[in-house]
Every structure is written in C-alpha cells, then in structure tokens.
Amino acid sequence: MKINIAFFCSSHVKSYHSDFFEALPFDLTNSLVNSFQATLNNADLKSIKLLNDLFDDYIHMKYQYKVKPVKKKIDSRLIRVHRIIRTRYSEQLSLTYIAEQIQCNPVYLSNTYSKVFKISPMKHLQNIRIGNARILLETTDFSILKITALVGYISTSQFSTYFKKHVGISPTEYRRLSKKTRERGGLVVSQYF
C-alpha cells in the first residue's frame, strides 16, 4: 500500500510518506488511513487537528529512541589532552608522553581523540605550533632559531619542513611576504588552524 498523507493544521502542514508508514503495524496504518479519510469527508478542522495530535503522540512514543539525539559524554581525559596540547605546545610533547599523562594507551588515545575532535592529537599539536609560529613571524623580529624553540620544535630543519608542509612556503619567505604586505598598508591575517 503506497500512501502519502499530509496533516493540515492551523499553523503548519506535516507530510508523511508511505515509507514511514511501512514501519507501522498494518492494523494501525489502516486505522490511521481510515480515520483520516473519514475526517476529510466530514471536513471538520477540529477533528483533523485532533487526528494530527494523536498521530504525533503515537510517533513520538513509538520512535522516541530514534528521534532523540544520542548524548555521549566526552571522556574528561580527552578534554585534558586537548588542554595539554593548547597550553604546552612549546614543550617536547609526544603521543606516548601525553598518553602517560592521562594513563592510557597511545593508540587508544589517538583513535578516541580523532573520533571526538575530528583530528589526531599530533596533527592538532602541529596546527597549533604552526599557527603560533605564523603569528611570531608576522609580529616579531625573533630569529627562526628562537621561533623554532618557542613553538616546540627540536631543530630549525624540522620546523621548516612542517611549516612548508602546512603553509606552502618556508618561514623566511613567509616573514618576507608578511613584511611586504605590512609595508604596503595591507593586513596580514594569520590563520590559526
């Protein structure tokens, strides 16, 4: 049986396609369709509203678990990891070290963090480091060596490699371009990813 029913109320229209009704028990579906047709034949707006309300109540009760959003509590350890990355990015952080801080397996940490925040913890760390490096390159005259240390990289070559991978140009070139832009009166907008 293919049906498409629309319930008209004073303030809105609700439409239910036949696929929706296929999930309902046959006797209830027939009862609803028959009631609806009888109501339409009588053309009583009050009855239509009553039928609509009854149908909504039934659907709400029957399929409440499907409609209700699943509220999962985020593991407080993941929030702690997020905070560690944001506040201690300039330190020598490794996945193993961070996992030890919250007493869990590094693989579990990486997988769970990635599911919740849609980015791996180490990639998030790199993004924060590069974002802060960009700001330092734009706003200070610190040497590349000093900026490397301030954002938590071991060597300038490691820093330059990650910077070029994320930004597309070397830190020295980035600084030169941002300086030219400032001299022309333009705004340099750092992307804090």
Side-chain angles (χ1 to χ4, degrees):
M1 168 195 320
K2 289 288 180 186
I3 51 176
N4 192 19
I5 295 180
F7 291 103
F8 299 89
C9 291
S10 56
S11 61
H12 62 284
V13 176
K14 290 186 181 177
S15 180
Y16 300 95
H17 192 268
S18 61
D19 294 341
F20 181 79
F21 285 96
E22 288 175 6
L24 298 176
F26 181 74
D27 58 334
L28 178 64
T29 304
N30 282 342
S31 174
L32 284 171
V33 171
N34 292 337
S35 297
F36 184 71
Q37 286 173 344
T39 303
L40 282 182
N41 291 338
N42 294 334
D44 180 15
L45 187 60
K46 196 173 188 180
S47 297
I48 293 173
K49 178 156 179 27
L50 178 63
L51 181 62
N52 185 40
D53 292 343
L54 288 171
F55 186 75
D56 279 352
D57 290 345
Y58 173 78
I59 297 303
H60 181 71
M61 287 183 341
K62 180 86 173 156
Y63 297 99
Q64 186 175 10
Y65 65 93
K66 290 184 181 178
V67 177
K68 189 184 255 185
V70 178
K71 292 183 180 179
K72 292 183 179 176
K73 210 171 183 182
I74 295 177
D75 187 344
S76 62
R77 296 179 302 172
L78 294 180
I79 295 169
R80 200 164 143 221
V81 168
H82 200 65
R83 189 175 303 121
I84 288 169
I85 291 171
R86 279 186 295 112
T87 59
R88 296 172 52 191
Y89 66 89
S90 61
E91 298 175 21
Q92 298 302 312
L93 298 178
S94 68
L95 188 61
T96 305
Y97 174 79
I98 295 170
E100 287 171 1
Q101 298 303 302
I102 63 164
Q103 299 173 350
C104 80
N105 183 299
V107 174
Y108 172 81
L109 168 62
S110 183
N111 291 339
T112 309
Y113 189 94
S114 297
K115 282 181 186 173
V116 171
F117 294 109
K118 308 297 183 218
I119 189 171
S120 74
M122 299 317 288
K123 178 131 174 111
H124 184 68
L125 175 63
Q126 297 307 326
N127 288 345
I128 288 178
R129 285 177 171 174
I130 297 301
N132 282 295
R134 290 174 72 160
I135 292 168
L136 290 170
L137 287 166
E138 293 169 10
T139 59
T140 70
D141 289 328
F142 294 157
S143 69
I144 301 297
L145 182 62
K146 185 168 185 172
I147 291 173
T148 298
L150 287 172
V151 295
Y153 289 102
I154 297 169
S155 68
T156 55
S157 64
Q158 181 191 36
F159 168 61
S160 294
T161 301
Y162 279 113
F163 192 90
K164 192 167 186 173
K165 181 180 175 186
H166 283 266
V167 181
I169 55 177
S170 70
T172 306
E173 183 69 13
Y174 184 84
R175 173 175 271 165
R176 189 181 63 73
L177 288 174
S178 66
K179 187 176 179 181
K180 272 187 182 179
T181 306
R182 270 197 313 274
E183 287 171 357
R184 291 186 201 146
L187 293 173
V188 178
V189 180
S190 286
Q191 260 190 335
Y192 188 84
F193 4 1

